[in-house]
Amino acid sequence: MGLVEIEETPKWKKALGYIGPGFLVSVAYLDPGNLETDLQAGADHKYQLLWIVLAGLVFALIIQSRSANLGVATGKHLSEHCKTEYPNPINYCLWILAEIAVVAAEIPQVIGTAFAFNILFNVPIWSGVLLAGLNTLLLLGIQRYGIRKLEVAIGVLVLVVGGCFCSVMANAKPNVEEIMKGMFIPKLSNSSATRDAIALLGALIMPHNLFLHSALVISRKISRSADGIRSASKYFLLESALALFIAFLINVAVISVSGSVCSNPNISTENKNHCQNITLNSAAFLLKNALGNWSSKLYAVSLLASGQSSTVTGTYAGQYIMQGFLEFKMKLWLRNLLTRCIVMAPSLIACIIGGPSGASKLIIIASMILSFELPFALVPLLKFTSSEAKMGQHKNSRMVTLILWTLGFGSIGINMYFLGSSLLGWLTSNRMSKAASISAAMLILPVIILYITMLLYLTFKPETPTANPLECILNSGGSSEGDSTRGRRENNDTQRDSEIQLEDI
């Protein structure tokens, strides 16, 4: 796939040229794991936590825009910068953690797709897991016709998810006034609401998304002047805002559906039981009983579209991660097949042994892994985008840097609280003997110490000096004739490298 040419005039064609990367990234905010968290939040607290979703997606927009800026300003994506910045042992650790994050993100997608096949065609869940690994290859085949065709396909799937849930919401008839209050009036009525709010925030930002967004924006052929980079960054910000706004509306629709159904005073005992512990599978029975069979079918279609779109972007993220950290490229279909084989093993075991309940527990474990992984992508991103040596005049301002680090560590803290409370609940559960709890705690303690040590290293490590002293000037868009010539030569080389990388993919 070659680079996408940006037409400078008319303005609407120029804007359309930038649309695509944000929509590929936005599907991570609509994956089956997020849908399950939304459904449970609505069932437990009606519309009370909508403001959490709004705040979370605003924060996600800020972080994703930094990822896009890194790719636009430097011509390199996040994993490539990590490769340059950190010594090999740290790089290998970051690569392994990033790959684990991709696998953890794939688990809800595979299981969600399997549930969708089960609801639509009565396919056994374990068979649906196998089918989920094969049908994605068909969608990946679209990329042979160019990145724009794939972006359109993913955009259509996002709209399918939104259309299905909006149709179900219209039939559920939620209270619009209460939705608006929940969206703009912050409220946490009890500890359960706090726990679900943390789970909602933890499910929003995916580590692999930060690697992905910085790579996808390189697919646009832009002017490498300072004004060209600023213009591209502005357009990518607007495009990401549009994509995440659509994702926000879909999340609102999902929460509103379960909130409306589960708060109905005439709800049956069976549906009330479903509301207490909603899974991707039980949500279909809830909607079928409350709103009719067609609503469960629409839900299944949206689940299928969500799972398929999410897994394609996960495959791309994995490819860029491998390419950046190891300088190793693999065909997309082979990369997808390899990742799916790894994901299918635990998914099949969970489905065969535990059934739908076991599959749902596996989704929770995957969410915990993603919470654990987030800092190892977020901290390098914040450091690199605040670096003058890497970003030149396009680096974050001091105020933006302060805000980003505050929000970043706030997000990390929330994820760590979610992870820690989940582990503590597991260790203190009645299912484990005291001796087993102590043994498990002793095994976990070294991991926690290593985790904190590596996080501190990434945060406070002095920046590696730039190999080429002209790089900062070039990134800043030097004004002298000699600098401009060298800048154009280097930027042409970067552009050719990007074309080669896209062709290999």
Side-chain angles (χ1 to χ4, degrees):
M1 294 182 293
L3 296 178
V4 177
E5 294 279 354
I6 301 295
E7 298 184 36
E8 291 298 321
T9 55
K11 281 286 183 71
W12 65 270
K13 276 194 174 182
K14 182 178 181 179
L16 283 178
Y18 286 100
I19 291 179
F23 280 87
L24 264 69
V25 168
S26 72
V27 300
Y29 302 93
L30 301 170
D31 77 335
N34 274 290
L35 297 184
E36 182 172 279
T37 306
D38 286 347
L39 288 167
Q40 191 63 63
D44 289 344
H45 311 289
K46 207 174 180 181
Y47 319 118
Q48 184 186 132
L49 299 182
L50 287 174
W51 69 275
I52 292 287
V53 178
L54 176 59
L57 282 172
V58 168
F59 172 53
L61 173 61
I62 295 171
I63 295 297
Q64 292 294 164
S65 70
R66 296 304 94 190
S67 178
N69 283 4
L70 179 68
V72 171
T74 66
K76 294 181 179 181
H77 48 83
L78 180 56
S79 57
E80 289 177 321
H81 281 290
C82 289
K83 171 75 173 176
T84 304
E85 180 69 21
Y86 301 117
N88 284 337
I90 299 298
N91 264 308
Y92 287 130
C93 288
L94 291 175
W95 168 66
I96 291 170
L97 289 169
E99 292 287 4
I100 292 172
V102 171
V103 170
E106 288 267 0
I107 287 174
Q109 297 155 16
V110 169
I111 293 175
T113 302
F115 281 144
F117 282 130
N118 177 257
I119 298 165
L120 289 170
F121 309 113
N122 293 320
V123 174
I125 294 175
W126 66 268
S127 300
V129 169
L130 296 175
L131 287 174
L134 298 176
N135 62 352
T136 310
L137 297 176
L138 300 176
L139 193 57
L140 281 173
I142 298 175
Q143 59 90 26
R144 295 177 60 87
Y145 301 99
I147 186 67
R148 296 295 280 168
K149 300 294 190 299
L150 183 64
E151 288 171 350
V152 169
I154 296 298
V156 169
L157 290 176
V158 169
L159 294 179
V160 168
V161 176
C164 289
F165 266 106
C166 287
S167 299
V168 176
M169 183 178 72
N171 193 53
K173 298 177 182 178
N175 187 303
V176 177
E177 184 178 349
E178 289 185 27
I179 289 176
M180 298 306 292
K181 286 181 179 179
M183 201 180 297
F184 296 107
I185 300 178
K187 181 182 178 182
L188 295 173
S189 57
N190 50 43
S191 59
S192 173
T194 303
R195 185 181 65 250
D196 285 352
I198 290 170
L200 275 174
L201 287 174
L204 283 176
I205 299 180
M206 300 286 188
H208 69 282
N209 242 14
L210 304 183
F211 292 101
L212 178 64
H213 206 172
S214 63
L216 290 174
V217 295
I218 303 175
S219 64
R220 268 48 179 183
K221 191 171 185 177
I222 64 170
S223 168
R224 300 302 304 173
S225 66
D227 288 340
I229 290 172
R230 275 194 295 269
S231 175
S233 297
K234 179 187 72 174
Y235 276 103
F236 278 125
L237 174 63
L238 294 174
E239 187 255 352
S240 297
L242 173 62
L244 289 179
F245 178 68
I246 293 173
F248 167 69
L249 294 180
I250 297 172
N251 277 273
V252 169
V254 177
I255 291 176
S256 299
V257 166
S258 61
S260 176
V261 170
C262 293
S263 64
N264 190 326
N266 300 319
I267 188 172
S268 66
T269 303
E270 182 183 2
N271 282 349
K272 188 178 291 185
N273 292 333
H274 283 312
C275 288
Q276 289 175 357
N277 185 24
I278 290 185
T279 64
L280 292 175
N281 191 47
S282 66
F285 295 102
L286 174 66
L287 295 175
K288 180 179 179 179
N289 294 339
L291 303 175
N293 186 55
W294 67 271
S295 63
S296 69
K297 299 298 183 184
L298 278 179
Y299 164 75
V301 171
S302 68
L303 196 58
L304 182 61
S306 169
Q308 291 304 287
S309 57
S310 299
T311 196
V312 170
T313 56
T315 301
Y316 267 91
Q319 176 75 335
Y320 286 122
I321 287 167
M322 180 182 291
Q323 175 188 304
F325 281 113
L326 304 182
E327 297 180 349
F328 177 73
K329 302 178 183 71
M330 185 182 292
K331 294 295 183 182
L332 272 179
W333 69 268
L334 186 59
R335 168 77 205 194
N336 177 267
L337 194 61
L338 177 62
T339 305
R340 277 306 167 98
C341 288
I342 296 171
V343 172
M344 280 180 193
S347 301
L348 277 174
I349 293 171
C351 292
I352 293 172
I353 296 177
S357 176
S360 297
K361 289 178 181 177
L362 187 59
I363 291 177
I364 295 173
I365 294 172
S367 300
M368 292 173 63
I369 292 172
L370 290 170
S371 297
F372 180 88
E373 299 271 0
L374 178 62
F376 300 109
L378 183 57
V379 170
L381 174 66
L382 297 184
K383 287 200 70 173
F384 297 156
T385 54
S386 301
S387 166
E388 186 172 0
K390 290 181 174 59
M391 300 285 289
Q393 69 182 44
H394 308 289
K395 71 170 186 174
N396 301 328
S397 66
R398 289 184 179 180
M399 180 59 69
V400 171
T401 299
L402 178 62
I403 292 171
L404 283 172
W405 280 102
T406 302
L407 291 175
F409 275 102
S411 175
I412 291 170
I414 288 170
N415 278 277
M416 292 305 99
Y417 178 84
F418 169 67
L419 183 64
S421 59
S422 300
L423 284 174
L424 186 62
W426 174 64
L427 291 173
T428 57
S429 65
N430 295 328
R431 298 176 184 177
M432 294 182 68
S433 65
K434 188 174 181 179
S437 296
I438 293 173
S439 299
M442 293 299 291
L443 290 173
I444 291 172
L445 184 60
V447 176
I448 294 174
I449 294 173
L450 181 62
Y451 182 89
I452 295 173
T453 302
M454 189 167 177
L455 184 55
L456 290 173
Y457 172 82
L458 293 176
T459 305
F460 296 107
K461 175 191 176 295
E463 188 174 3
T464 301
T466 305
N468 181 4
L470 289 175
E471 184 176 348
C472 182
I473 299 174
L474 293 171
N475 281 337
S476 301
S479 57
S480 71
E481 185 178 351
D483 287 344
S484 298
T485 303
R486 285 190 295 269
R488 284 192 296 270
R489 189 182 303 119
E490 179 168 303
N491 289 323
N492 287 337
D493 290 342
T494 301
Q495 204 81 350
R496 283 195 297 271
D497 289 344
S498 298
E499 289 180 353
I500 293 170
Q501 289 172 359
L502 287 168
E503 287 289 348
D504 288 336
I505 290 173

